[in-house]
Amino acid sequence: MDWYGGIKMKLKSPLEVYRLLPQTNCRECGYDTCMSFAAHIIDRTAKPHDCPPLFRDAEKNPIIKKKLEQLIELTSPEISEVMIGNLKIGGEDVLHRHELTFFNPTAFFYDVWDTMDDKELDERCSKVVEYKKFYVGRFLTLDGIAVRCTSNDAAKFKSVVKKVAGYGKPMVLISLNPECMRAALEEVAELKPLIYAATEHNWRDFLKLTLDFKVPVTIREKNLDKLKNMAATFKQAGASIVLDPVTEPFGLKETYERVIQLRRTAILGGDKDLAHPIMITPIAAWLVNADKVSKAYWETLIASIFLVKYGDVMIFRSLEPYTIMPTITLRTNIYTDPRTPVQVEAGLRGINNPTSDSPVFITTNFALTYYTVESDLASGNIRGWLLVLDTGGICVEASVAGGYFTASKVKGIIERTGIEQKTNHRYLVIPGLAARLQGAIEDETNWKVLVGPVDSGRIKGWLENNWPPKE
Ligand code: SF4
């Protein structure tokens, strides 16, 4: 096979999209103009289906139908999207996050097996379901459970898969035996589990399974030419595909090279046979002859490499915090949209049980600013009210300069949050970097504005000299 080695990007600009739209600016899509809609199509906040006239006209006019088909083709992601239950994987457009963004975070599955006793099975499943970690304003969770058929007994596998389905998480079903897989699918096919795996030995049976039960399938093969051939056959038959180029703990360099080659060939080379999500199995670390903790460390290492490049779904063994914490945090950071500042919800927060005498502070909803201010107040044992202004996730200095932190917005948040009913004073402490808004905010709100320090770490000392206010 001739693997692609050059640099090429699929061209996508709003103008290309605009040429395929009705260009009537009718606003049925909710945007003021077709050009604005086109821009949202490009950043994937709108879809062709959101333009109703296009679909209405395509039914009557073959030229418009052709344009619609072109638009769908142009706007479909480079890597196919695959649903595992209600979980979407794949759907990426670029090799590097900074070129656009990555859309669907790598899905984390944790294994159980059908020869486990009930207690152990319940403990592992419950751990996956219950795990949550608060990080930058939201809870991070684990995605699903991978059930391995270690009994090679169809009835046993079916019964354990049924039990695991009761935990309500997306599932990967693991068996190379088509009979065991069929038995399990008869029980849970409507939940759309990912089946693992079709190989060069069983692929005909697995192709039938994926078509009969309409479930996504993993194709496992180290040789990329063979992988491509099998993927082409499955794709032609209409299957929803995940590619597993085989994760080798003793051949990480080769695994890495296969994964890079797969994704480059799909995105840069436009090879649609290989443009599918990639499966990585950090659990392969448990093949290493080492103690449990070392295996878990090794598993974390493999996951970290392929979170960066280009694992879309992973199967783990270790549920230890020292495996989950680094991997889930890395995943969150890689899949944060670089086009949108990280932000928290705007509104009013009470810090350390404030009373009606407590000072009222204001800051922006840029996550880093918010968490710094909130933590400085909380750890300084300062009782206070904190107004969090929606500046689109922009920090204080830039939002003041850019017109996102304004006197009228401050008035708006005072009214919306009802802070006037919670306090017996009308003093607002603004950040030092917003000092130039002091007069405008006083005029707009009738609150007296005190200019606080530039650094929220100095609020405690500042309060000692300035609170309660002297006048
Ligand atoms: S609905 Fe379609 S035709 Fe109407 S403004 Fe939106 S993109 Fe243009």
Side-chain angles (χ1 to χ4, degrees), residues 343-365:
Q343 49 192 289
V344 298
E345 199 177 333
L348 176 66
R349 315 281 203 277
I351 313 284
N352 293 329
N353 300 315
T355 65
S356 56
D357 295 324
S358 302
V360 180
F361 304 94
I362 188 165
T363 189
T364 76
N365 73 331

Side-chain angles (χ1 to χ4, degrees), residues 350-391:
I351 313 284
N352 293 329
N353 300 315
T355 65
S356 56
D357 295 324
S358 302
V360 180
F361 304 94
I362 188 165
T363 189
T364 76
N365 73 331
F366 174 46
L368 294 184
T369 303
Y370 168 76
Y371 284 112
T372 305
V373 175
E374 191 254 357
S375 121
D376 284 337
L377 294 176
S379 62
N381 293 320
I382 297 164
R383 277 183 155 189
W385 300 98
L386 181 59
L387 289 166
V388 184
L389 192 64
D390 181 0
T391 58

Side-chain angles (χ1 to χ4, degrees), residues 149-225:
C149 178
T150 46
S151 66
N152 207 30
D153 174 336
K156 185 149 188 56
F157 187 45
K158 178 178 180 164
S159 117
V160 170
V161 165
K162 185 180 176 189
K163 255 185 225 155
V164 174
Y167 289 88
K169 281 283 191 187
M171 290 192 294
V172 178
L173 307 183
I174 303 177
S175 173
L176 300 182
N177 179 335
E179 280 169 29
C180 291
M181 193 59 84
R182 179 168 288 278
L185 286 174
E186 279 164 2
E187 192 65 49
V188 298
E190 78 282 359
L191 301 175
K192 302 292 170 215
L194 172 66
I195 59 173
Y196 184 101
T199 66
E200 64 175 329
H201 304 296
N202 68 11
W203 69 266
R204 286 184 182 79
D205 292 321
F206 268 69
L207 178 57
K208 184 155 171 41
L209 285 172
T210 186
L211 298 179
D212 285 354
F213 291 98
K214 298 185 176 47
V215 291
V217 61
T218 313
I219 305 174
R220 175 181 166 85
E221 174 55 56
K222 222 157 80 170
N223 179 303
L224 295 190
D225 288 322

Side-chain angles (χ1 to χ4, degrees), residues 33-334:
T33 62
C34 294
M35 185 56 96
S36 166
F37 179 76
H40 284 85
I41 284 265
I42 292 296
D43 71 15
R44 285 173 56 175
T45 51
K47 293 198 170 80
H49 283 82
D50 299 331
C51 170
L54 191 56
F55 280 80
R56 283 199 299 266
D57 297 346
E59 283 176 17
K60 303 175 223 145
N61 185 330
I63 297 173
I64 296 179
K65 187 167 179 237
K66 198 154 186 325
K67 281 189 172 187
L68 175 60
E69 285 165 0
Q70 276 179 355
L71 183 62
I72 290 172
E73 163 61 22
L74 187 69
T75 55
S76 63
E78 296 285 356
I79 304 301
S80 66
E81 285 181 334
V82 171
M83 296 300 298
I84 309 173
N86 58 4
L87 184 68
K88 195 187 285 176
I89 61 167
E92 304 306 343
D93 261 329
V94 290
L95 284 175
H96 308 106
R97 174 178 169 269
H98 62 260
E99 293 168 339
L100 179 65
T101 183
F102 291 153
F103 289 95
N104 297 310
T106 309
F108 286 0
F109 286 79
Y110 294 81
D111 84 323
V112 295
W113 48 99
D114 66 354
T115 47
M116 259 178 164
D117 66 45
D118 281 358
K119 185 167 171 284
E120 206 183 351
L121 182 75
D122 179 55
E123 273 172 15
R124 274 186 74 81
C125 291
S126 300
K127 265 190 185 173
V128 175
V129 172
E130 287 160 16
Y131 180 89
K132 63 177 184 175
K133 162 98 185 114
F134 189 71
Y135 182 75
V136 196
R138 65 194 173 105
F139 285 102
L140 309 182
T141 56
L142 307 179
D143 299 297
I145 301 170
V147 192
R148 292 193 297 121
C149 178
T150 46
S151 66
N152 207 30
D153 174 336
K156 185 149 188 56
F157 187 45
K158 178 178 180 164
S159 117
V160 170
V161 165
K162 185 180 176 189
K163 255 185 225 155
V164 174
Y167 289 88
K169 281 283 191 187
M171 290 192 294
V172 178
L173 307 183
I174 303 177
S175 173
L176 300 182
N177 179 335
E179 280 169 29
C180 291
M181 193 59 84
R182 179 168 288 278
L185 286 174
E186 279 164 2
E187 192 65 49
V188 298
E190 78 282 359
L191 301 175
K192 302 292 170 215
L194 172 66
I195 59 173
Y196 184 101
T199 66
E200 64 175 329
H201 304 296
N202 68 11
W203 69 266
R204 286 184 182 79
D205 292 321
F206 268 69
L207 178 57
K208 184 155 171 41
L209 285 172
T210 186
L211 298 179
D212 285 354
F213 291 98
K214 298 185 176 47
V215 291
V217 61
T218 313
I219 305 174
R220 175 181 166 85
E221 174 55 56
K222 222 157 80 170
N223 179 303
L224 295 190
D225 288 322
K226 284 186 189 171
L227 184 63
K228 176 180 161 67
N229 288 339
M230 278 197 278
T233 306
F234 275 67
K235 181 168 178 270
Q236 212 172 14
S240 188
I241 300 164
V242 172
L243 303 174
D244 177 8
V246 185
T247 308
E248 296 177 298
F250 300 108
L252 265 187
K253 177 176 174 288
E254 291 76 15
T255 308
Y256 180 79
E257 286 167 358
R258 284 197 293 277
V259 170
I260 299 288
Q261 204 167 19
L262 269 185
R263 189 50 55 92
R264 284 178 63 88
T265 307
I267 290 189
L268 299 180
D271 187 337
K272 286 293 168 195
D273 290 339
L274 293 172
H276 305 292
I278 295 175
M279 161 74 79
I280 298 292
T281 52
I283 192 175
W286 290 72
L287 298 171
V288 173
N289 185 18
D291 62 86
K292 278 186 179 179
V293 174
S294 302
K295 287 178 184 184
Y297 287 160
W298 194 232
E299 191 173 17
T300 309
L301 171 79
I302 296 174
S304 305
I305 294 169
F306 295 104
L307 273 167
V308 177
K309 298 208 179 273
Y310 296 105
D312 295 292
V313 51
M314 293 188 178
I315 299 176
F316 292 84
R317 164 71 51 80
S318 172
L319 278 163
E320 298 299 335
Y322 47 79
T323 302
I324 298 179
M325 274 291 296
T327 48
I328 206 167
T329 305
L330 179 60
R331 174 179 75 171
T332 306
N333 290 333
I334 289 173

